[in-house]
Structure formats: C-alpha cells, structure tokens
Amino acid sequence: MASMAATAARVSSLCSVNSPAAYSSTSKSRNCPPECSSSRSSSSHGLGWTGAAAILRCGTDFLKERRKRSSESRAAAVDSIDPQDEYPVGAFGPLYADLKTVTVTPSPGRKAEGLRCSRNTEIRRLAASVDGGVTVEASRTFTTEQVLPRIGKVSRVTKETSVEVELNLDGTGICDCDTGIPFLDHMLDQLASHGLLDVKVKARGDIHIDDHHTNEDIGLSVGTALLQALGDRKGIYRFGDFTAPLDEALIHVVLDLSGRPYLGYTVDIPTQRVGTYDTQLVEHFFQSLVNTSGMTLHIRKLAGNNSHHIIEATFKAFARALRQALEYDLRRRGSVPSSKGVLSRA
C-alpha cells in the first residue's frame, strides 16, 4: 500500500507541475475526476485504491493529450518543408546520367520518414530502366542537374598481362569476372555482392608461370577504376568501418578514401595455398589496389584458423566498409568531406 501511495503521489505531482497551461488551472480543466483532487489533498493521510486509480487516470489523460499535441506539431513542421531546399537530388552527388526529375509521394501516416526514404528508393527503381530523360508526375517533384554516373573503366596491357576492368559504384552487385584465377574470381564476386558494386574484370596473364603478375595488375586496375569513378569525391561519407565473421574467422577493416595510399595489413594465413591460389597474393592485391586508388586501408585478423574463411571474410569486410565510404551523406549536401576542401590522389 505504501508503494501504491508513493506512485500515486508521483503521478499527482507530474499532473500538477509538468502540465501545460491548459492543464494548470483546475482539476476539471485537466479532465480529472473529482476523486483526483480530493485524493491528492488527503495524500498525507494515505490513499485508497479509488483515489490512486483516479490519479493514475488523470496522468494517463494528460500523457495522451501531450502526445496528440506533439504529433500535431510534427505534422505542421513537415508540411512547412520546402522540398527544393530540404531534399535537392543533385546537391549531394550524381546517381544516374539521364535522370532529370523524380517525384516522391510520402507514405500515409509517415510523412517525414516517407519523404526521406521513398526518394532514394524511387531513384534507384527508375534508374534500372532509364533511357533518356525521365519525368515522373506526382505531388512532390525534385529536379536535378545533368550528372554523370560513377563508373570507372580501365584497360591495362603489358608484356605480362592484359586486363580490362569496369566498375560501377552505384550498381546492384553484378559480377562478371574471368581472371584465369578461379579463387580470385570468387573473391571479386564477394566484392561485388557485399559492396553492391557492378564489377566486370576480364584478364589474361602469364599464369603458366604463376598468378603473381595477373593478381597484381588486376589490383592496380581495380584501384584505377575506383579512382576514376570517385571523381572529386564530393558528398560521400569517405570513411568505412566493418567487421565481418565467417564461421570461426573474424576480420576488421577500416578505410578512408583520403587520396593518400597506405596499407596496414595484419592477417596471418595458416596455409601457403587455397586451391592453387598463393595466399601471399591477398596482401599484394590490396597493396596494388591501395596504391592506385589513393586509399588508406587497415585490415586486421581478430580470429580464424581456416585459410579460405580468413581470406573470404577479408574481402567481405572490405566490400562492406567500401560501401559505407562510397554512400552519399545527405547532410553534407555535395561538399567535399575534408577540412582542406579537396580530396585527390595527388
């Protein structure tokens, strides 16, 4: 009973002290039953079940009214948003070349959330079938300037290898890779699938000697294609951080699309080979990619005994960290994510 009295007294205090003006005058204006006032006034002599219940009802009514007013205030704020100022499609960076106009209809009952989420969903849905300019008729329209897609294409030919790479940073995870090194094809598939990149690699090299030259030149070409596709790096998050497990293996990757190449690689792999692939070439692949893309990359093994699991978790963690770094930050509004005002490989 003492606990009930304490609870009732607390609710009574909230009802009388924290209520808005409309609730501050009388018990009647607060929609409190008569028992509420009488019970509060006699709180020093203890409360019965009837008085306590009355006070709890008073508090409940007050909270319901407060939520109602808060919802009305939020709705009014959303209605006052100017879509052109608040959600300019082109201001935070390019998505697709020919997409000119996109319209978003907010979800009923979720105005603010619908406005934010539906726009990007609509852009990506339309982009799959874009052929020329696109105009969508609806209630809210966002116009963008003519922009280029984030695609890098590289052709690298030497006496040792011939490598063709195409990389689409705004892809859907499509991988079309034929490197002549089956395990590397499998890893590039992880990069595409988990990074949501479209990756196309066609390579021929002197693999009759070993995989070293082909592995290296593919890393160099993928890094160069990434450098091309990133352009001036305006509007992106820039940083990525992901830890990926694969059974007993656990790999942590942190990267910065800073323009400064650096690789920190602390991954010991128990065996010399996985299939025919030399496991030393994993580090060499990432070093080559870092050198040409201008990326700071740290890879650490936190756990793992199986060589295949360790390497695959490394590519998965790298793909997810890269995906984070490549995404557009809406709050940045197209500015370069650097206090210097520029991010470049030079």
Side-chain angles (χ1 to χ4, degrees), residues 248-267:
E248 90 296 341
L250 185 64
I251 303 294
H252 182 210
V253 170
V254 181
L255 62 84
D256 175 12
L257 299 177
S258 60
R260 298 182 301 274
Y262 177 82
L263 175 65
Y265 183 88
T266 312
V267 182

Side-chain angles (χ1 to χ4, degrees), residues 83-95 104 112-121 123-124 142 234-238 324-337:
Q84 188 64 32
D85 293 336
E86 207 55 38
Y87 302 95
V89 173
F92 61 87
L95 285 178
V104 178
E113 292 86 349
L115 196 59
R116 283 189 176 87
C117 298
S118 297
R119 179 173 57 83
N120 282 336
T121 301
I123 288 173
R124 294 186 182 279
F142 305 87
K234 289 183 178 179
I236 62 172
Y237 276 104
R238 174 181 166 178
Q324 289 178 10
L326 293 173
E327 289 292 326
Y328 286 113
D329 184 351
L330 296 180
R331 292 181 59 195
R332 191 162 290 283
R333 294 180 177 273
S335 63
V336 175

Side-chain angles (χ1 to χ4, degrees), residues 37-107:
S37 299
S38 61
S39 298
R40 282 210 321 276
S41 63
S42 60
S43 60
S44 60
H45 305 291
L47 288 173
W49 287 101
T50 303
I55 292 175
L56 290 173
R57 284 199 304 273
C58 172
T60 301
D61 292 342
F62 164 66
L63 291 175
K64 286 180 179 178
E65 180 66 22
R66 192 171 182 177
R67 289 192 190 101
K68 178 181 177 183
R69 294 188 178 202
S70 178
S71 298
E72 291 172 350
S73 176
R74 285 197 301 270
V78 170
D79 289 339
S80 67
I81 289 176
D82 182 350
Q84 188 64 32
D85 293 336
E86 207 55 38
Y87 302 95
V89 173
F92 61 87
L95 285 178
Y96 298 96
D98 299 312
L99 192 59
K100 297 295 289 183
T101 306
V102 176
T103 296
V104 178
T105 302
S107 305

Side-chain angles (χ1 to χ4, degrees), residues 96 124 150-151 167-174 192 195-199:
Y96 298 96
R124 294 186 182 279
R150 298 191 298 174
I151 294 176
L167 196 63
N168 182 358
L169 305 188
D170 300 300
T172 57
I174 298 172
L196 283 182
L197 311 172
D198 289 345
V199 180

